[in-house]
Amino acid sequence: MVFQKRHLSEDKICDFNVRFFTPTEEVDFCGHATLAVFSLLFQQKLITAKTYTQQTKAGKLKVSVEPDGYITMQQSRPQFIDIIP
């Protein structure tokens, strides 16, 4: 996972640009990694309690950090591509 804080002067759209990787390829989104990294950033006092936006390959998503460290995140709606008989 690559996690890059965006400077507001460079990009006022999102707070963070987030990319996720498996050993063989980049994936659109990884919820568990998102929760983990925001929790770690909060524990290390690198971010404060508030709602952040992150840009992923799955789109722009919100992550909320509560004062007690509880993390919630928005996810994109599922897209159904095909029906398997």
Side-chain angles (χ1 to χ4, degrees):
M1 179 172 141
V2 175
F3 194 79
Q4 175 186 17
K5 183 163 179 141
R6 304 295 290 221
H7 298 289
L8 293 179
S9 60
E10 293 175 14
D11 183 355
K12 294 181 181 179
I13 297 172
C14 291
D15 298 306
F16 296 95
N17 183 25
V18 187
R19 298 172 64 190
F20 303 95
F21 296 88
T22 70
T24 58
E25 65 186 336
E26 184 173 4
V27 295
D28 292 345
F29 183 72
C30 181
H32 289 87
T34 296
L35 296 174
V37 76
F38 275 90
S39 178
L40 181 63
L41 289 170
F42 181 74
Q43 291 172 28
Q44 297 293 315
K45 300 186 184 333
L46 297 171
I47 61 172
T48 60
K50 71 176 207 174
T51 298
Y52 297 91
T53 54
Q54 63 173 348
Q55 183 65 48
T56 70
K57 286 184 76 175
K60 178 179 164 184
L61 305 172
K62 293 181 183 177
V63 178
S64 296
V65 181
E66 300 297 326
D68 64 358
Y70 187 76
I71 313 291
T72 58
M73 66 181 179
Q74 174 188 24
Q75 289 183 275
S76 298
R77 289 188 160 286
Q79 295 179 1
F80 296 98
I81 301 169
D82 199 0
I83 297 174
I84 300 173

